[in-house]
Amino acid sequence: MKMSFRWYGPDDPVTLANIRQIPAMTGIVTALYDVPVGEVWPLDKLMARKAQIEAHGLEFAVVESIPVPEAVKLGLPDRDRLISNYCRSISHLGAAGVQVLCYNFMPVFDWTRTNLAHVNADGSTALTFRQDDLDGIDLSRGTAGLPGWADAYSAEQLGTLRASYKEVDAERLLENFAYFLRAVVPVAEEAGVFMALHPDDPPWPIFGLPRIVGSAEQIRRVLALVDSRHHGLTFCTGSLGASADNDLVAMAREFGPRVNFTHARNVLITGERDFMEVPHPSRCGSVDMVGVLDALLDAGFDGPIRPDHGRMIWGEQGRPGYGLYDRALGATYLVGVFDALKRSNTRRDTA
């Protein structure tokens, strides 16, 4: 496995120089955040970003992500032009030497939380989700009432989008995803790019919008749409682990051969549809992190992995979930688990 770290570009308060000092860190996960959704990612910009990263002794390992336009998810007439642009961007990733593309197919909303700074007993802060709090958010004002989405959609924009999705149920969304995949996967194969679909976060429908990547059965269906190693999964332990119905160790064993990227994050389930993000070790939450990593190794996964969302600790201020200190602790924990598992597996194989 290749240890990697999410970096939000030159404006990120967590610098490449910081990241380089984390033990066993080799890769950077980032994106071109200034390219409008639906436009082609320029190769020269990708090469410039690659040069920045490599100047610090790191590898441009993963793009996370090229957003899929809503018109593609809705199956609107403009989708063919937008998919063509997406394909050109994938080709540019391959030309820049980026081998993994993490992306999602969540309608309107990406990962969603109801509190970005829940204060824990130890004084740290963490991201949390409570269904009752989500149900109390008034979307008639746009996304201003939703943590992390203050500038995303106006009330008019959001109203139009939600109205458009009234004609798109989960089955229609799956059909539109299949249409997208049939166009982009052959391009990814030619470019040498492994696509890694991120699960829904949280792994259930929100605000009445359909979601199709939240359970083992749903993942089986989406992976069966195109039989290619270049159409694979981001195995996100935090997203999938928010549902008590998901057996993450079993899912890691089943889907491991199609896992192209891993997000390692622990969550503590606090209610039927409530959870909070906690430190990475297994003992801290509801995710058997050691069991999941062992299953992925057994399945042959050797791709990039990153510590996902972390708490804010030691007085750090910054992007919620993406500070330096707790994610660095998570990375060192993951490296220790890998080392122990590999030694144990070697002994078991030679016994």
Side-chain angles (χ1 to χ4, degrees), residues 125-127 265 277-278 280 308-312 320-323 326-327:
T125 63
L127 308 176
R265 162 164 52 90
E277 299 190 359
V278 294
H280 287 72
D308 205 356
H309 301 165
R311 303 163 298 149
M312 285 298 184
Y322 287 97
D326 201 38
R327 285 190 297 154

Side-chain angles (χ1 to χ4, degrees), residues 43 46 88-99 188 190-193:
L43 178 57
L46 285 165
R88 289 175 63 194
S89 295
I90 291 174
S91 294
H92 289 172
L93 294 190
V98 179
Q99 294 186 335
E190 183 176 352
V193 174

Side-chain angles (χ1 to χ4, degrees), residues 173-230:
L173 185 63
L174 190 69
E175 292 172 7
N176 293 340
F177 185 42
Y179 187 94
F180 169 77
L181 288 174
R182 285 193 291 268
V184 301
V185 172
V187 177
E189 290 174 340
E190 183 176 352
V193 174
F194 291 86
M195 300 187 66
L197 175 66
H198 193 286
D200 301 329
D201 187 7
W204 51 74
I206 62 171
F207 298 125
L209 296 166
R211 288 191 162 189
I212 56 173
V213 197
S215 68
E217 179 55 35
Q218 288 178 326
I219 292 172
R220 289 185 196 106
R221 293 190 72 187
V222 299
L223 290 180
L225 293 174
V226 175
D227 184 16
S228 171
R229 277 290 289 114
H230 290 262

Side-chain angles (χ1 to χ4, degrees), residues 93-297:
L93 294 190
V98 179
Q99 294 186 335
V100 177
L101 168 59
C102 174
Y103 70 106
N104 72 73
F105 214 75
M106 291 181 255
V108 185
F109 299 98
D110 203 317
W111 64 271
T112 302
R113 300 292 182 271
T114 55
N115 190 339
L116 301 181
H118 170 80
V119 180
N120 296 315
D122 62 4
S124 64
T125 63
L127 308 176
T128 62
F129 181 96
R130 292 185 70 252
Q131 187 66 45
D132 285 348
D133 291 341
L134 191 80
D135 293 340
I137 293 175
D138 180 10
L139 290 182
S140 67
R141 298 181 296 136
T143 52
L146 187 62
W149 288 83
D151 300 320
Y153 295 115
S154 68
E156 182 179 0
Q157 290 171 324
L158 186 58
T160 299
L161 269 177
R162 295 183 73 197
S164 298
Y165 273 101
K166 288 183 179 178
E167 304 300 320
V168 178
D169 60 10
E171 288 301 313
R172 180 71 177 276
L173 185 63
L174 190 69
E175 292 172 7
N176 293 340
F177 185 42
Y179 187 94
F180 169 77
L181 288 174
R182 285 193 291 268
V184 301
V185 172
V187 177
E189 290 174 340
E190 183 176 352
V193 174
F194 291 86
M195 300 187 66
L197 175 66
H198 193 286
D200 301 329
D201 187 7
W204 51 74
I206 62 171
F207 298 125
L209 296 166
R211 288 191 162 189
I212 56 173
V213 197
S215 68
E217 179 55 35
Q218 288 178 326
I219 292 172
R220 289 185 196 106
R221 293 190 72 187
V222 299
L223 290 180
L225 293 174
V226 175
D227 184 16
S228 171
R229 277 290 289 114
H230 290 262
H231 163 45
L233 185 69
T234 294
F235 197 86
C236 181
T237 60
S239 300
L240 296 170
S243 171
D245 294 333
N246 286 334
D247 182 341
L248 265 63
V249 174
M251 292 169 75
R253 292 192 186 282
E254 178 178 354
F255 303 124
R258 295 286 289 274
V259 172
N260 291 332
F261 184 33
T262 297
H263 284 184
R265 162 164 52 90
N266 207 342
V267 293
L268 178 66
I269 297 173
T270 56
E272 183 177 355
R273 289 197 169 180
D274 302 337
F275 61 90
M276 63 185 299
E277 299 190 359
V278 294
H280 287 72
S282 296
R283 71 180 67 184
C284 297
S286 302
V287 174
D288 178 4
M289 192 69 70
V290 175
V292 168
L293 297 179
D294 192 28
L296 287 174
L297 286 172

